[in-house]
Amino acid sequence: MKNSFSRRSFLKTSALASGGMIIGFNLFNACKPDVKPSIDLSKLNYNDFNAFIKISPEGKVTLFSPNPEIGQGVKTSMPMIIAEELEVAWDDVYVVQAPLDTKNYTRQLAGGSQSIRHGWIALRQTGATAKQMLVNAAAAKWGVDASECKVSEGVITNTKGETLGYGDVVTEAAALEVPEEVTLKDPKDFKIIGKGKGNVDIDKITIGKPLFGIDYKEVGMLYASVLRPPAFGQVLESFDASKAKAMPGVVDVITIGEKARTILNEKPNWTVQLSKSNKVVVLGKTTWDAIKGKKAINAVWKEDSKLESTEYHDQVLMDLLNGNKFNTRRKDGNVKQAFAEADKVIERVYESPFLPHNTMEPMNFFADVTPEKVRLVGPVQTPEPAAKVVSEMLGRDLEDISVEMTRMGGGFGRRLYGDFVYEAAEISDKIGKPVKMISTREDDMTTGVYRPSTKYKIAASIKNGKLTGYHLKEAAINGNMYGLIPNFFPAGALENYQVDTANYKSNITTGAWRAPYTNFLASAEQSFFDELAEELGVDRVRLHMDLLDKVKQNPEPKIEYSPERLQGVLKLAVEKSNWGSAPEGIYQGLSVYYCHNTHVAEIANVAMENGIPVVKKVTCAIDCGILVNPLGAMNQAKGGVLDGIGHAMYSDFGFQNGVPKSNNFNTYQLIRMAQTPKVEVHFIESDIDPTGLGEPTLPPVGAAVANAIYKATGKRLTKQPYSLNMNVESSIIG
Amino acid sequence: MPTFTLKINKKKYVVEADADTPLLWVLRDHIELVGTKFGCGIGQCGACTVHTDGEASRSCLIQVSQAEDMEITTIEGLSENGDHPVQQAWKEIDVPQCGYCQAGQIMTASAFLNQNPSPSNEEIRSAMNGNICRCASYNSIEEAVKVASEKLS
Ligand code: FES
Ligand code: FES
């Protein structure tokens, strides 16, 4: 695969005053399909770029990773892609996250499963362009044609066998024009991509160096603990801070909320997470002083909107499923008719609770608002929108605002929302001092942006032993499945197919949670297919292979998945797991799913131990295109599977009169080591462009486990968390 | 506020803090040893694990007033050069994902292996069960503890 690309406007190179050269590129623009430079490229301004390659006169290469790290390994894998095309040895590469210019550095693209997919070509072009310029400089020095030169590990060689290192020509290279065209490597020549590379921050992590937002500190900084309404639907009425103010470690007690409310009123359509209520903020000399001071506040809250409970949510969602207020999202053929003519119609309801993200590092942010500038530092995935809201809220120019991203102790979607950034900014603005807002676990869990509780009703018709229709209905809190999902499997496989959605607007804040919607939809759909196969009396694998064959014969342009790739992962998982010939006492359940551009099949092995089903092993087959970093990919895939099992099996979250029922890990269960099976991961070999891995292994596993438990116990599980709806105590808490 | 004398990583520190301040916050905010992490504050997650007299302890549950006579070791003091067998194993296996829980995992594992240098898989799984990893890097943690135990024996 040889690719030539025209010169792209997202690249700019420049000589450094200290010697060496720097290439800046704007991944944010480069990733968009129509690249229109919105910036003046006549000068290299750090503000306009979000990623850099720096080559020093000694030939040392520093790659400024464009994406912050939330645990998906992008801080390692993205530089690997640049280094590959740049032709340098990985050991000579130094990767840093820190922005070059903390004052102006605001334009950064934040992670997600899609980072690699979108950045793939842009990152390669950047590396290749830098290499080409260095080669051109060497060729000019020798007076030979650049095409006669070869490069390996940062050393350029000509036909006479003379060599020049990158450092020897870097000054000249920086003065050259950016080449019009560069050629990308053939994937079979990759030396770095496809080889397992360790996490670039591993040394610092294992000795406890400050890396995370919560570790960030500045001289004179105060710590802020925020008292927010205990229930969704309440606002602050009054409070008494006299006890808190008398504490020696408490510096001040203030309220915030006015500024956030002003924007809410001015821009009612903004979908940012801003609360209507005032909040009480305790400022302490240390975190503990602030937390302790907050506990001493006596606050009175009043009801502002309905205080909702889980029973109420269950009722409204069931009413929606049984009602007729649906939006039809895709309709093929006529399901109604197929159902009327069927020999049998099977219908099941699947239910899931709200879920908090519970990133291991609780929400926190640093803000320093002065008359000159607004400096924001911490773990956030969306620095650009955060800066925008803060600029509106504080009435400041966007240029005065800088956001610096730290390593993040987990994201799972929570750090896409900037509520904690706005709070920190509003506090610092009000007290005129640098401040660090820190949430306790209780704050974090009870004032979250939750995965919305969702229910599905799935019905299918069978006629003459064949599947003739499929009707999926979704009832969810606040929002519904995104637009691509109705085109996922089984769309295209059945003549009569319909997807309907309905929602209920709640005052509980909800948002994206690792693999939004599919994180539960996959469990529902793939459990349903297990029942269908049983009802049809066909092997589960056969049923899927046949349906996918139909899609292949009748390709339908709108479908999102590839039937070939789904069949590929299914075959691989079946082969690696000994599907159908598992040893005595092992019960297997299967699930196969496409989401986030990646195809995955998973098979869970369950054994009965003391009358309790225990997941012993999960075999996972993945097609995510080219594997950039197999080591990181393996970690991601395994983590996704175990996270999926944990939340499908154990984690429950509900409300009582607007108040979350659990607030810390003593009442909310996350999966622990003793509950984890071995995860075995197999990748499809591929030379297709890479797709994401942060999310796709999570959704299918719930059904793989439920289907295996069915075989072991004869009980179909339709309501998550399964352990609470199985009538067995299946968890071991440490 | 009262003052307390603490022995951390073989060094003496005098801190001024409320007597009920958890050791965790003394380490993080007073002494600037931020490798020890805050996860739950109630002894449930293990992110704050340190060694007190060689035992793995939850620093969020120890008040500074109780810590004066203890020999405290944090992740920063586990080894001179970051080369404790457990740290080496963590690097070999490339355990961390987001990395936030890992200092606590390493401190739990190192205290455990000190007492039981060649544990069975079941012993590892139960010893590590008090440490939550939200990224669910559990398979790798388990493997790394095994690798570290081989280095130790
Ligand atoms: S912070 Fe101490 S156990 Fe969680
Ligand atoms: S690596 Fe993220 S919490 Fe363990």
Side-chain angles (χ1 to χ4, degrees), chain A residues 428-441:
Chain A
S428 177
D429 182 56
K430 194 146 186 181
I431 61 169
K433 289 199 178 82
V435 74
K436 169 74 147 303
M437 192 290 290
I438 295 189
S439 281
T440 60
R441 176 59 55 194

PDB file of all heavy atoms in Angstrom, chain A residues 428-441:
ATOM      1  N   SER A 428     -12.058  30.466  42.018  1.00  0.00           N
ATOM      2  CA  SER A 428     -10.848  31.287  41.964  1.00  0.00           C
ATOM      3  C   SER A 428     -11.171  32.725  41.584  1.00  0.00           C
ATOM      4  O   SER A 428     -10.586  33.675  42.106  1.00  0.00           O
ATOM      5  CB  SER A 428      -9.848  30.684  40.977  1.00  0.00           C
ATOM      6  OG  SER A 428      -8.720  31.504  40.868  1.00  0.00           O
ATOM      7  N   ASP A 429     -12.126  32.884  40.691  1.00  0.00           N
ATOM      8  CA  ASP A 429     -12.554  34.223  40.279  1.00  0.00           C
ATOM      9  C   ASP A 429     -13.083  34.989  41.491  1.00  0.00           C
ATOM     10  O   ASP A 429     -12.797  36.168  41.685  1.00  0.00           O
ATOM     11  CB  ASP A 429     -13.643  34.091  39.213  1.00  0.00           C
ATOM     12  CG  ASP A 429     -14.120  35.437  38.691  1.00  0.00           C
ATOM     13  OD1 ASP A 429     -13.254  36.199  38.223  1.00  0.00           O
ATOM     14  OD2 ASP A 429     -15.329  35.707  38.761  1.00  0.00           O
ATOM     15  N   LYS A 430     -13.826  34.278  42.313  1.00  0.00           N
ATOM     16  CA  LYS A 430     -14.474  34.946  43.446  1.00  0.00           C
ATOM     17  C   LYS A 430     -13.482  35.304  44.552  1.00  0.00           C
ATOM     18  O   LYS A 430     -13.577  36.363  45.159  1.00  0.00           O
ATOM     19  CB  LYS A 430     -15.579  34.044  44.005  1.00  0.00           C
ATOM     20  CG  LYS A 430     -16.518  34.767  44.930  1.00  0.00           C
ATOM     21  CD  LYS A 430     -17.930  34.224  44.827  1.00  0.00           C
ATOM     22  CE  LYS A 430     -18.881  35.058  45.666  1.00  0.00           C
ATOM     23  NZ  LYS A 430     -20.243  34.563  45.620  1.00  0.00           N
ATOM     24  N   ILE A 431     -12.522  34.425  44.817  1.00  0.00           N
ATOM     25  CA  ILE A 431     -11.597  34.703  45.930  1.00  0.00           C
ATOM     26  C   ILE A 431     -10.305  35.364  45.454  1.00  0.00           C
ATOM     27  O   ILE A 431      -9.513  35.826  46.270  1.00  0.00           O
ATOM     28  CB  ILE A 431     -11.251  33.429  46.739  1.00  0.00           C
ATOM     29  CG1 ILE A 431     -10.557  32.388  45.847  1.00  0.00           C
ATOM     30  CG2 ILE A 431     -12.513  32.838  47.375  1.00  0.00           C
ATOM     31  CD1 ILE A 431      -9.968  31.230  46.628  1.00  0.00           C
ATOM     32  N   GLY A 432     -10.088  35.381  44.147  1.00  0.00           N
ATOM     33  CA  GLY A 432      -8.878  36.020  43.626  1.00  0.00           C
ATOM     34  C   GLY A 432      -7.590  35.321  44.020  1.00  0.00           C
ATOM     35  O   GLY A 432      -6.551  35.945  44.160  1.00  0.00           O
ATOM     36  N   LYS A 433      -7.671  34.019  44.206  1.00  0.00           N
ATOM     37  CA  LYS A 433      -6.470  33.239  44.553  1.00  0.00           C
ATOM     38  C   LYS A 433      -6.455  31.943  43.751  1.00  0.00           C
ATOM     39  O   LYS A 433      -7.510  31.468  43.338  1.00  0.00           O
ATOM     40  CB  LYS A 433      -6.511  32.867  46.044  1.00  0.00           C
ATOM     41  CG  LYS A 433      -6.293  34.008  46.996  1.00  0.00           C
ATOM     42  CD  LYS A 433      -5.886  33.444  48.362  1.00  0.00           C
ATOM     43  CE  LYS A 433      -5.608  34.557  49.343  1.00  0.00           C
ATOM     44  NZ  LYS A 433      -6.816  35.096  49.952  1.00  0.00           N
ATOM     45  N   PRO A 434      -5.268  31.371  43.581  1.00  0.00           N
ATOM     46  CA  PRO A 434      -5.231  30.050  42.940  1.00  0.00           C
ATOM     47  C   PRO A 434      -5.893  29.011  43.840  1.00  0.00           C
ATOM     48  O   PRO A 434      -5.725  29.056  45.064  1.00  0.00           O
ATOM     49  CB  PRO A 434      -3.738  29.757  42.767  1.00  0.00           C
ATOM     50  CG  PRO A 434      -3.023  30.692  43.675  1.00  0.00           C
ATOM     51  CD  PRO A 434      -3.915  31.879  43.897  1.00  0.00           C
ATOM     52  N   VAL A 435      -6.624  28.116  43.232  1.00  0.00           N
ATOM     53  CA  VAL A 435      -7.390  27.168  44.026  1.00  0.00           C
ATOM     54  C   VAL A 435      -7.423  25.805  43.358  1.00  0.00           C
ATOM     55  O   VAL A 435      -7.328  25.688  42.136  1.00  0.00           O
ATOM     56  CB  VAL A 435      -8.830  27.720  44.240  1.00  0.00           C
ATOM     57  CG1 VAL A 435      -9.653  27.619  42.972  1.00  0.00           C
ATOM     58  CG2 VAL A 435      -9.541  27.012  45.376  1.00  0.00           C
ATOM     59  N   LYS A 436      -7.539  24.788  44.206  1.00  0.00           N
ATOM     60  CA  LYS A 436      -7.688  23.430  43.677  1.00  0.00           C
ATOM     61  C   LYS A 436      -8.980  22.863  44.237  1.00  0.00           C
ATOM     62  O   LYS A 436      -9.114  22.690  45.436  1.00  0.00           O
ATOM     63  CB  LYS A 436      -6.479  22.603  44.139  1.00  0.00           C
ATOM     64  CG  LYS A 436      -6.598  21.122  43.906  1.00  0.00           C
ATOM     65  CD  LYS A 436      -6.416  20.795  42.455  1.00  0.00           C
ATOM     66  CE  LYS A 436      -5.749  19.463  42.276  1.00  0.00           C
ATOM     67  NZ  LYS A 436      -4.465  19.393  42.940  1.00  0.00           N
ATOM     68  N   MET A 437      -9.932  22.605  43.350  1.00  0.00           N
ATOM     69  CA  MET A 437     -11.187  21.990  43.779  1.00  0.00           C
ATOM     70  C   MET A 437     -10.974  20.478  43.810  1.00  0.00           C
ATOM     71  O   MET A 437     -10.502  19.907  42.823  1.00  0.00           O
ATOM     72  CB  MET A 437     -12.301  22.359  42.787  1.00  0.00           C
ATOM     73  CG  MET A 437     -13.712  22.032  43.236  1.00  0.00           C
ATOM     74  SD  MET A 437     -14.144  20.300  43.316  1.00  0.00           S
ATOM     75  CE  MET A 437     -14.193  19.876  41.564  1.00  0.00           C
ATOM     76  N   ILE A 438     -11.296  19.858  44.921  1.00  0.00           N
ATOM     77  CA  ILE A 438     -11.180  18.397  45.015  1.00  0.00           C
ATOM     78  C   ILE A 438     -12.494  17.804  45.492  1.00  0.00           C
ATOM     79  O   ILE A 438     -13.038  18.220  46.513  1.00  0.00           O
ATOM     80  CB  ILE A 438     -10.063  17.963  45.992  1.00  0.00           C
ATOM     81  CG1 ILE A 438      -8.697  18.401  45.468  1.00  0.00           C
ATOM     82  CG2 ILE A 438     -10.071  16.454  46.185  1.00  0.00           C
ATOM     83  CD1 ILE A 438      -7.532  17.827  46.248  1.00  0.00           C
ATOM     84  N   SER A 439     -12.978  16.829  44.755  1.00  0.00           N
ATOM     85  CA  SER A 439     -14.165  16.094  45.193  1.00  0.00           C
ATOM     86  C   SER A 439     -13.737  14.909  46.041  1.00  0.00           C
ATOM     87  O   SER A 439     -12.729  14.259  45.744  1.00  0.00           O
ATOM     88  CB  SER A 439     -14.943  15.570  43.992  1.00  0.00           C
ATOM     89  OG  SER A 439     -15.709  16.602  43.428  1.00  0.00           O
ATOM     90  N   THR A 440     -14.509  14.612  47.064  1.00  0.00           N
ATOM     91  CA  THR A 440     -14.299  13.358  47.790  1.00  0.00           C
ATOM     92  C   THR A 440     -14.982  12.268  46.963  1.00  0.00           C
ATOM     93  O   THR A 440     -15.687  12.559  45.993  1.00  0.00           O
ATOM     94  CB  THR A 440     -14.975  13.398  49.177  1.00  0.00           C
ATOM     95  OG1 THR A 440     -16.384  13.601  48.969  1.00  0.00           O
ATOM     96  CG2 THR A 440     -14.417  14.525  50.028  1.00  0.00           C
ATOM     97  N   ARG A 441     -14.790  11.018  47.343  1.00  0.00           N
ATOM     98  CA  ARG A 441     -15.486   9.940  46.616  1.00  0.00           C
ATOM     99  C   ARG A 441     -16.996  10.136  46.720  1.00  0.00           C
ATOM    100  O   ARG A 441     -17.726   9.933  45.757  1.00  0.00           O
ATOM    101  CB  ARG A 441     -15.076   8.568  47.174  1.00  0.00           C
ATOM    102  CG  ARG A 441     -15.819   7.382  46.542  1.00  0.00           C
ATOM    103  CD  ARG A 441     -15.624   7.293  45.031  1.00  0.00           C
ATOM    104  NE  ARG A 441     -14.221   7.260  44.687  1.00  0.00           N
ATOM    105  CZ  ARG A 441     -13.757   7.449  43.453  1.00  0.00           C
ATOM    106  NH1 ARG A 441     -14.583   7.679  42.450  1.00  0.00           N
ATOM    107  NH2 ARG A 441     -12.468   7.430  43.213  1.00  0.00           N
TER     108      ARG A 441
END
